[in-house]
Every structure is written in C-alpha cells, then in structure tokens.
Amino acid sequence: MIVSPTGLAGLALIALGMVCTPGPNMIYLLSRSILQGRLAGVISLAGVVLGFLCYMLATALGLTALMLAVPLAYEAVKWAGALYLLWMAWTSVRPGAGSALQPRRDLKVDRPGKLFAMGLLTSLLNPKIAIFYVSLLPQFIDPDRGRVLAQSVVLGATQVAISFTVNLLIVLAAGGIAAWFAARPTWLQVQRWVMGGLLAGFAVRLAFDKRPV
C-alpha cells in the first residue's frame, strides 16, 4: 500500500472524531436541513465537500515540496497539530460549551446557488479543516515510503469520504437528531465529553510520536 494500514487507520479515527465534534460545517448543515429540508442540506453539503477537495489538493501539492525541502518541518506541524487537538478537546468540554446538535433557527431561506456557495465558504473558513490539512495530515505521511503526493491524496480522500458520509447522515436525519437530543440533554453532555476525550487522546499520541506514523 502507498500508505501504511496503521497510518490510514489513525487518520481515519481522527477524521471521524473531528467530523463528529461541533463545528461550523455541522452547525450550518444541520440548521439548513431543518429550516429548508433535506435537498437544501444536500446542496449545502456539496459546497462543503468542494471546500474539502480544495484543501486536499492544495495541501497535497504543498506537502510534496515541503517534505523534500524541509524534513524537520514535521516537528513544527506535529506540535501545532497536538496543541490544536487539545484546544478542540477543551472547547468540547469547557463550561458553557454549546453543541452543534442545537441548531440555529434564525437563517433565511436561500436559493440553491447561495446554499452551495455558503457551504463552500463555511468549509473554506473552517479552522478545524485548515488545521487538519496543514498540521495533522502530514503526521501520517512517511517519506521513506516515497510518493508523498500520492500519500497526501489517499489520506485526504479518506478524510473527505468520512466527512461526507457522516455529514450526509446528519443532513438526512437532521430533524430526528435535533428532536432526540432536545429531549435528552444529558446525551448532549455525553457527546461533548466523549469527543473531548478522544481528541485529547489523539493530541497526546501525536505529541509523543517521534516520527510520522
């Protein structure tokens, strides 16, 4: 394989933890789906996914040059990624933290073109996605296996596939998800603490890795 099975599994777990953690994309998709229905949610999701693909291609091309020119850049991105994961873990569990499963209801009805554009903009301006590609994805690339560009594309495509699948399920079940959690506020707390614990664990693992997975 181009990417080691361990590295692919590790990145998949982080991608799953991040997409299940409250963030701009989930809030927008959930709110838009509840307000305008599933079709509007799917159109918005298409824009979000295009944003993922933009990050994936830009990062893949940039990493190819970076890994060849500055091998020690791993240390910088490793610590940046670990600190960001710890920050995300804290935002999940800090007192007064909200949940993406409590959607906004103050949005206006938008046309398909604007839904797509807003989904794209939300994705491109999402710091969680930016840090994932800039600081986290490089940790799962092993220059010794060669073909850094191919590894970047495979790992990025894994994140896109996982995020698309989870977000599509959220869009299709938005109304039921919001109603279920609204009737069970304790589970909102459980969701926040589980995600916070997972992200903190990933951060510790990342910080103490001496080389990419």
Side-chain angles (χ1 to χ4, degrees), residues 95-143:
S99 172
L101 299 171
Q102 299 169 315
R104 292 177 56 192
R105 298 182 183 274
D106 59 345
L107 298 174
K108 297 180 181 179
V109 174
D110 286 332
R111 295 179 179 276
K114 188 171 182 180
L115 291 172
F116 181 87
M118 288 302 297
L120 173 60
L121 187 62
T122 300
S123 183
L124 291 176
L125 298 180
N126 186 348
K128 187 164 63 171
I129 302 303
I131 296 298
F132 176 89
Y133 278 99
V134 174
S135 295
L136 300 179
L137 185 144
Q139 305 308 313
F140 296 90
I141 295 175
D142 186 354

Short mmCIF file of all heavy atoms in Angstrom, two decimals, residues 95-143:
data_model
loop_
_atom_site.label_atom_id
_atom_site.label_comp_id
_atom_site.label_asym_id
_atom_site.label_seq_id
_atom_site.Cartn_x
_atom_site.Cartn_y
_atom_site.Cartn_z
N PRO A 95 -16.97 24.65 30.48
CA PRO A 95 -18.28 25.07 31.00
C PRO A 95 -18.97 26.03 30.03
O PRO A 95 -18.36 26.96 29.52
CB PRO A 95 -17.93 25.77 32.32
CG PRO A 95 -16.63 25.15 32.73
CD PRO A 95 -15.88 24.90 31.45
N GLY A 96 -20.22 25.77 29.77
CA GLY A 96 -21.00 26.63 28.90
C GLY A 96 -20.85 26.34 27.43
O GLY A 96 -21.45 27.03 26.59
N ALA A 97 -20.06 25.32 27.07
CA ALA A 97 -19.88 24.99 25.65
C ALA A 97 -21.19 24.51 25.06
O ALA A 97 -21.95 23.79 25.69
CB ALA A 97 -18.81 23.90 25.50
N GLY A 98 -21.45 24.93 23.84
CA GLY A 98 -22.66 24.51 23.15
C GLY A 98 -22.41 23.26 22.33
O GLY A 98 -21.33 22.68 22.35
N SER A 99 -23.43 22.85 21.62
CA SER A 99 -23.32 21.66 20.78
C SER A 99 -23.88 21.97 19.40
O SER A 99 -24.84 22.73 19.26
CB SER A 99 -24.09 20.49 21.39
OG SER A 99 -24.14 19.40 20.48
N ALA A 100 -23.27 21.38 18.39
CA ALA A 100 -23.77 21.54 17.02
C ALA A 100 -25.14 20.90 16.87
O ALA A 100 -25.85 21.16 15.91
CB ALA A 100 -22.80 20.92 16.03
N LEU A 101 -25.50 20.06 17.81
CA LEU A 101 -26.79 19.40 17.76
C LEU A 101 -27.91 20.30 18.29
O LEU A 101 -29.05 19.90 18.40
CB LEU A 101 -26.74 18.09 18.55
CG LEU A 101 -25.72 17.11 17.97
CD1 LEU A 101 -25.53 15.92 18.90
CD2 LEU A 101 -26.14 16.64 16.59
N GLN A 102 -27.54 21.55 18.61
CA GLN A 102 -28.51 22.58 18.94
C GLN A 102 -28.46 23.61 17.82
O GLN A 102 -27.68 24.56 17.86
CB GLN A 102 -28.17 23.23 20.29
CG GLN A 102 -28.19 22.24 21.45
CD GLN A 102 -27.61 22.82 22.71
OE1 GLN A 102 -26.55 23.45 22.67
NE2 GLN A 102 -28.27 22.60 23.83
N PRO A 103 -29.23 23.41 16.75
CA PRO A 103 -29.07 24.19 15.52
C PRO A 103 -29.57 25.62 15.61
O PRO A 103 -30.36 25.97 16.47
CB PRO A 103 -29.91 23.41 14.50
CG PRO A 103 -30.98 22.80 15.34
CD PRO A 103 -30.30 22.42 16.63
N ARG A 104 -29.08 26.46 14.68
CA ARG A 104 -29.57 27.82 14.54
C ARG A 104 -30.92 27.79 13.83
O ARG A 104 -31.15 27.00 12.93
CB ARG A 104 -28.60 28.65 13.71
CG ARG A 104 -27.27 28.91 14.37
CD ARG A 104 -26.37 29.67 13.41
NE ARG A 104 -27.00 30.92 12.96
CZ ARG A 104 -26.53 31.65 11.94
NH1 ARG A 104 -25.48 31.25 11.28
NH2 ARG A 104 -27.14 32.76 11.60
N ARG A 105 -31.80 28.71 14.22
CA ARG A 105 -33.11 28.79 13.59
C ARG A 105 -33.38 30.20 13.05
O ARG A 105 -34.51 30.53 12.70
CB ARG A 105 -34.22 28.38 14.57
CG ARG A 105 -34.07 26.94 15.05
CD ARG A 105 -35.19 26.55 15.99
NE ARG A 105 -35.01 25.19 16.48
CZ ARG A 105 -35.42 24.09 15.86
NH1 ARG A 105 -36.03 24.19 14.71
NH2 ARG A 105 -35.21 22.89 16.38
N ASP A 106 -32.33 31.03 12.99
CA ASP A 106 -32.50 32.41 12.55
C ASP A 106 -32.04 32.62 11.11
O ASP A 106 -31.85 33.75 10.67
CB ASP A 106 -31.74 33.37 13.48
CG ASP A 106 -30.24 33.05 13.52
OD1 ASP A 106 -29.85 31.95 13.09
OD2 ASP A 106 -29.47 33.91 13.99
N LEU A 107 -31.86 31.53 10.36
CA LEU A 107 -31.40 31.64 8.98
C LEU A 107 -32.57 31.94 8.04
O LEU A 107 -33.71 31.53 8.29
CB LEU A 107 -30.74 30.32 8.53
CG LEU A 107 -29.49 29.89 9.31
CD1 LEU A 107 -29.05 28.51 8.84
CD2 LEU A 107 -28.38 30.89 9.12
N LYS A 108 -32.29 32.67 6.95
CA LYS A 108 -33.30 32.94 5.93
C LYS A 108 -33.28 31.83 4.88
O LYS A 108 -32.27 31.16 4.69
CB LYS A 108 -33.02 34.29 5.28
CG LYS A 108 -33.12 35.47 6.23
CD LYS A 108 -32.83 36.78 5.51
CE LYS A 108 -32.92 37.97 6.47
NZ LYS A 108 -32.62 39.25 5.78
N VAL A 109 -34.39 31.66 4.19
CA VAL A 109 -34.47 30.68 3.11
C VAL A 109 -33.62 31.16 1.94
O VAL A 109 -33.76 32.31 1.48
CB VAL A 109 -35.92 30.47 2.66
CG1 VAL A 109 -35.98 29.56 1.44
CG2 VAL A 109 -36.74 29.88 3.81
N ASP A 110 -32.71 30.31 1.43
CA ASP A 110 -31.80 30.69 0.35
C ASP A 110 -32.04 29.83 -0.89
O ASP A 110 -32.52 28.69 -0.80
CB ASP A 110 -30.34 30.52 0.80
CG ASP A 110 -29.91 31.61 1.77
OD1 ASP A 110 -30.46 32.72 1.69
OD2 ASP A 110 -29.02 31.33 2.60
N ARG A 111 -31.65 30.38 -2.04
CA ARG A 111 -31.72 29.65 -3.30
C ARG A 111 -30.57 28.64 -3.39
O ARG A 111 -29.57 28.77 -2.67
CB ARG A 111 -31.65 30.63 -4.48
CG ARG A 111 -32.85 31.57 -4.55
CD ARG A 111 -32.72 32.52 -5.73
NE ARG A 111 -33.86 33.42 -5.83
CZ ARG A 111 -35.01 33.11 -6.42
NH1 ARG A 111 -35.15 31.92 -7.00
NH2 ARG A 111 -36.00 33.98 -6.46
N PRO A 112 -30.70 27.64 -4.30
CA PRO A 112 -29.66 26.60 -4.41
C PRO A 112 -28.26 27.14 -4.61
O PRO A 112 -27.30 26.65 -4.01
CB PRO A 112 -30.14 25.78 -5.61
CG PRO A 112 -31.63 25.92 -5.59
CD PRO A 112 -31.87 27.34 -5.13
N GLY A 113 -28.10 28.15 -5.47
CA GLY A 113 -26.77 28.70 -5.73
C GLY A 113 -26.13 29.27 -4.48
O GLY A 113 -24.94 29.07 -4.22
N LYS A 114 -26.92 29.98 -3.69
CA LYS A 114 -26.40 30.55 -2.46
C LYS A 114 -26.13 29.47 -1.42
O LYS A 114 -25.17 29.56 -0.65
CB LYS A 114 -27.36 31.59 -1.90
CG LYS A 114 -26.77 32.35 -0.71
CD LYS A 114 -27.64 33.53 -0.29
CE LYS A 114 -26.98 34.29 0.86
NZ LYS A 114 -27.81 35.44 1.28
N LEU A 115 -26.97 28.44 -1.39
CA LEU A 115 -26.74 27.32 -0.47
C LEU A 115 -25.39 26.68 -0.74
O LEU A 115 -24.61 26.41 0.18
CB LEU A 115 -27.85 26.27 -0.62
CG LEU A 115 -29.24 26.66 -0.13
CD1 LEU A 115 -30.25 25.58 -0.54
CD2 LEU A 115 -29.26 26.85 1.37
N PHE A 116 -25.10 26.44 -2.03
CA PHE A 116 -23.83 25.83 -2.42
C PHE A 116 -22.67 26.74 -2.05
O PHE A 116 -21.66 26.29 -1.48
CB PHE A 116 -23.83 25.55 -3.92
CG PHE A 116 -22.57 24.89 -4.41
CD1 PHE A 116 -22.43 23.51 -4.39
CD2 PHE A 116 -21.52 25.66 -4.91
CE1 PHE A 116 -21.27 22.91 -4.84
CE2 PHE A 116 -20.35 25.06 -5.36
CZ PHE A 116 -20.24 23.68 -5.33
N ALA A 117 -22.81 28.04 -2.38
CA ALA A 117 -21.73 28.99 -2.11
C ALA A 117 -21.47 29.13 -0.61
O ALA A 117 -20.32 29.20 -0.17
CB ALA A 117 -22.07 30.36 -2.72
N MET A 118 -22.53 29.16 0.18
CA MET A 118 -22.36 29.29 1.62
C MET A 118 -21.74 28.03 2.22
O MET A 118 -20.94 28.09 3.15
CB MET A 118 -23.69 29.58 2.29
CG MET A 118 -24.21 30.99 2.04
SD MET A 118 -23.04 32.27 2.59
CE MET A 118 -22.99 31.94 4.35
N GLY A 119 -22.10 26.86 1.67
CA GLY A 119 -21.47 25.63 2.13
C GLY A 119 -19.98 25.63 1.84
O GLY A 119 -19.17 25.25 2.68
N LEU A 120 -19.61 26.09 0.63
CA LEU A 120 -18.20 26.19 0.25
C LEU A 120 -17.46 27.17 1.14
O LEU A 120 -16.37 26.88 1.65
CB LEU A 120 -18.10 26.63 -1.21
CG LEU A 120 -16.69 26.93 -1.74
CD1 LEU A 120 -15.78 25.71 -1.63
CD2 LEU A 120 -16.76 27.41 -3.19
N LEU A 121 -18.05 28.34 1.37
CA LEU A 121 -17.41 29.36 2.20
C LEU A 121 -17.25 28.88 3.64
O LEU A 121 -16.20 29.09 4.26
CB LEU A 121 -18.23 30.64 2.15
CG LEU A 121 -17.62 31.87 2.84
CD1 LEU A 121 -16.31 32.25 2.15
CD2 LEU A 121 -18.60 33.04 2.82
N THR A 122 -18.28 28.23 4.17
CA THR A 122 -18.21 27.71 5.53
C THR A 122 -17.08 26.71 5.67
O THR A 122 -16.35 26.70 6.66
CB THR A 122 -19.54 27.04 5.91
OG1 THR A 122 -20.60 28.00 5.82
CG2 THR A 122 -19.49 26.49 7.33
N SER A 123 -16.91 25.87 4.64
CA SER A 123 -15.85 24.87 4.67
C SER A 123 -14.47 25.50 4.58
O SER A 123 -13.55 25.17 5.34
CB SER A 123 -16.05 23.88 3.52
OG SER A 123 -15.08 22.85 3.54
N LEU A 124 -14.31 26.46 3.65
CA LEU A 124 -13.00 27.08 3.45
C LEU A 124 -12.57 27.91 4.66
O LEU A 124 -11.37 28.03 4.93
CB LEU A 124 -13.04 27.97 2.20
CG LEU A 124 -13.17 27.25 0.86
CD1 LEU A 124 -13.29 28.26 -0.27
CD2 LEU A 124 -11.98 26.31 0.62
N LEU A 125 -13.53 28.47 5.38
CA LEU A 125 -13.21 29.31 6.54
C LEU A 125 -13.25 28.54 7.85
O LEU A 125 -13.12 29.15 8.92
CB LEU A 125 -14.18 30.50 6.61
CG LEU A 125 -14.14 31.47 5.42
CD1 LEU A 125 -15.16 32.59 5.61
CD2 LEU A 125 -12.74 32.03 5.22
N ASN A 126 -13.40 27.24 7.77
CA ASN A 126 -13.47 26.40 8.97
C ASN A 126 -12.05 26.13 9.49
O ASN A 126 -11.29 25.40 8.85
CB ASN A 126 -14.17 25.08 8.65
CG ASN A 126 -14.41 24.23 9.87
OD1 ASN A 126 -13.87 24.48 10.95
ND2 ASN A 126 -15.19 23.17 9.70
N PRO A 127 -11.66 26.69 10.63
CA PRO A 127 -10.28 26.48 11.11
C PRO A 127 -9.97 25.03 11.43
O PRO A 127 -8.83 24.60 11.32
CB PRO A 127 -10.23 27.35 12.38
CG PRO A 127 -11.66 27.48 12.81
CD PRO A 127 -12.46 27.52 11.54
N LYS A 128 -11.00 24.26 11.77
CA LYS A 128 -10.80 22.85 12.07
C LYS A 128 -10.27 22.10 10.85
O LYS A 128 -9.35 21.28 10.95
CB LYS A 128 -12.12 22.23 12.55
CG LYS A 128 -12.00 20.82 13.06
CD LYS A 128 -13.23 20.43 13.86
CE LYS A 128 -14.49 20.41 13.05
NZ LYS A 128 -15.63 19.84 13.79
N ILE A 129 -10.84 22.39 9.68
CA ILE A 129 -10.40 21.74 8.45
C ILE A 129 -9.02 22.24 8.03
O ILE A 129 -8.16 21.46 7.60
CB ILE A 129 -11.43 21.97 7.32
CG1 ILE A 129 -12.80 21.44 7.74
CG2 ILE A 129 -10.97 21.29 6.03
CD1 ILE A 129 -12.81 19.98 8.13
N ALA A 130 -8.80 23.54 8.16
CA ALA A 130 -7.49 24.10 7.79
C ALA A 130 -6.37 23.45 8.61
O ALA A 130 -5.35 23.02 8.06
CB ALA A 130 -7.50 25.60 8.00
N ILE A 131 -6.56 23.37 9.92
CA ILE A 131 -5.53 22.78 10.77
C ILE A 131 -5.37 21.29 10.50
O ILE A 131 -4.25 20.77 10.54
CB ILE A 131 -5.86 23.03 12.26
CG1 ILE A 131 -5.83 24.52 12.57
CG2 ILE A 131 -4.89 22.29 13.16
CD1 ILE A 131 -4.47 25.17 12.36
N PHE A 132 -6.46 20.62 10.19
CA PHE A 132 -6.37 19.19 9.88
C PHE A 132 -5.39 18.96 8.73
O PHE A 132 -4.51 18.10 8.81
CB PHE A 132 -7.75 18.63 9.51
CG PHE A 132 -7.72 17.19 9.09
CD1 PHE A 132 -7.84 16.17 10.03
CD2 PHE A 132 -7.55 16.84 7.76
CE1 PHE A 132 -7.80 14.83 9.65
CE2 PHE A 132 -7.50 15.51 7.37
CZ PHE A 132 -7.63 14.50 8.31
N TYR A 133 -5.55 19.73 7.67
CA TYR A 133 -4.70 19.52 6.50
C TYR A 133 -3.29 20.08 6.66
O TYR A 133 -2.33 19.50 6.15
CB TYR A 133 -5.37 20.11 5.26
CG TYR A 133 -6.41 19.17 4.67
CD1 TYR A 133 -7.76 19.34 4.93
CD2 TYR A 133 -6.03 18.09 3.89
CE1 TYR A 133 -8.70 18.47 4.42
CE2 TYR A 133 -6.96 17.22 3.37
CZ TYR A 133 -8.30 17.41 3.64
OH TYR A 133 -9.23 16.53 3.14
N VAL A 134 -3.18 21.18 7.36
CA VAL A 134 -1.86 21.81 7.50
C VAL A 134 -1.01 21.12 8.57
O VAL A 134 0.20 20.93 8.39
CB VAL A 134 -2.01 23.31 7.82
CG1 VAL A 134 -0.66 23.94 8.12
CG2 VAL A 134 -2.67 24.03 6.66
N SER A 135 -1.62 20.73 9.68
CA SER A 135 -0.84 20.24 10.82
C SER A 135 -1.00 18.76 11.12
O SER A 135 -0.08 18.14 11.64
CB SER A 135 -1.20 21.03 12.08
OG SER A 135 -0.83 22.38 11.94
N LEU A 136 -2.16 18.19 10.83
CA LEU A 136 -2.41 16.80 11.24
C LEU A 136 -2.11 15.80 10.14
O LEU A 136 -1.44 14.79 10.36
CB LEU A 136 -3.86 16.65 11.72
CG LEU A 136 -4.23 17.52 12.92
CD1 LEU A 136 -5.69 17.30 13.30
CD2 LEU A 136 -3.33 17.21 14.10
N LEU A 137 -2.60 16.06 8.95
CA LEU A 137 -2.39 15.11 7.86
C LEU A 137 -0.92 14.80 7.60
O LEU A 137 -0.57 13.63 7.36
CB LEU A 137 -3.08 15.62 6.59
CG LEU A 137 -3.06 14.68 5.38
CD1 LEU A 137 -4.37 14.80 4.59
CD2 LEU A 137 -1.90 15.00 4.45
N PRO A 138 0.00 15.79 7.67
CA PRO A 138 1.41 15.48 7.42
C PRO A 138 1.99 14.43 8.36
O PRO A 138 2.96 13.75 8.02
CB PRO A 138 2.11 16.84 7.61
CG PRO A 138 1.05 17.84 7.32
CD PRO A 138 -0.20 17.24 7.85
N GLN A 139 1.43 14.28 9.56
CA GLN A 139 1.97 13.32 10.52
C GLN A 139 1.78 11.88 10.06
O GLN A 139 2.43 10.96 10.57
CB GLN A 139 1.30 13.51 11.89
CG GLN A 139 1.39 14.93 12.43
CD GLN A 139 2.82 15.44 12.43
OE1 GLN A 139 3.73 14.75 12.85
NE2 GLN A 139 3.01 16.65 11.93
N PHE A 140 0.91 11.65 9.11
CA PHE A 140 0.62 10.30 8.66
C PHE A 140 1.25 10.00 7.30
O PHE A 140 0.95 9.00 6.67
CB PHE A 140 -0.90 10.10 8.60
CG PHE A 140 -1.54 10.20 9.95
CD1 PHE A 140 -1.99 11.42 10.42
CD2 PHE A 140 -1.65 9.09 10.76
CE1 PHE A 140 -2.56 11.53 11.69
CE2 PHE A 140 -2.21 9.19 12.02
CZ PHE A 140 -2.66 10.41 12.48
N ILE A 141 2.16 10.88 6.90
CA ILE A 141 2.90 10.66 5.66
C ILE A 141 4.31 10.20 6.01
O ILE A 141 4.99 10.82 6.82
CB ILE A 141 2.95 11.95 4.83
CG1 ILE A 141 1.53 12.33 4.38
CG2 ILE A 141 3.87 11.80 3.62
CD1 ILE A 141 1.45 13.65 3.67
N ASP A 142 4.73 9.13 5.42
CA ASP A 142 6.07 8.58 5.66
C ASP A 142 6.92 8.76 4.41
O ASP A 142 6.73 8.05 3.42
CB ASP A 142 5.96 7.09 6.01
CG ASP A 142 7.31 6.50 6.41
OD1 ASP A 142 8.32 7.22 6.31
OD2 ASP A 142 7.34 5.33 6.84
N PRO A 143 7.86 9.72 4.43
CA PRO A 143 8.70 9.96 3.25
C PRO A 143 9.49 8.72 2.82
O PRO A 143 9.84 8.58 1.65
CB PRO A 143 9.64 11.08 3.70
CG PRO A 143 8.91 11.76 4.81
CD PRO A 143 8.15 10.67 5.52
#
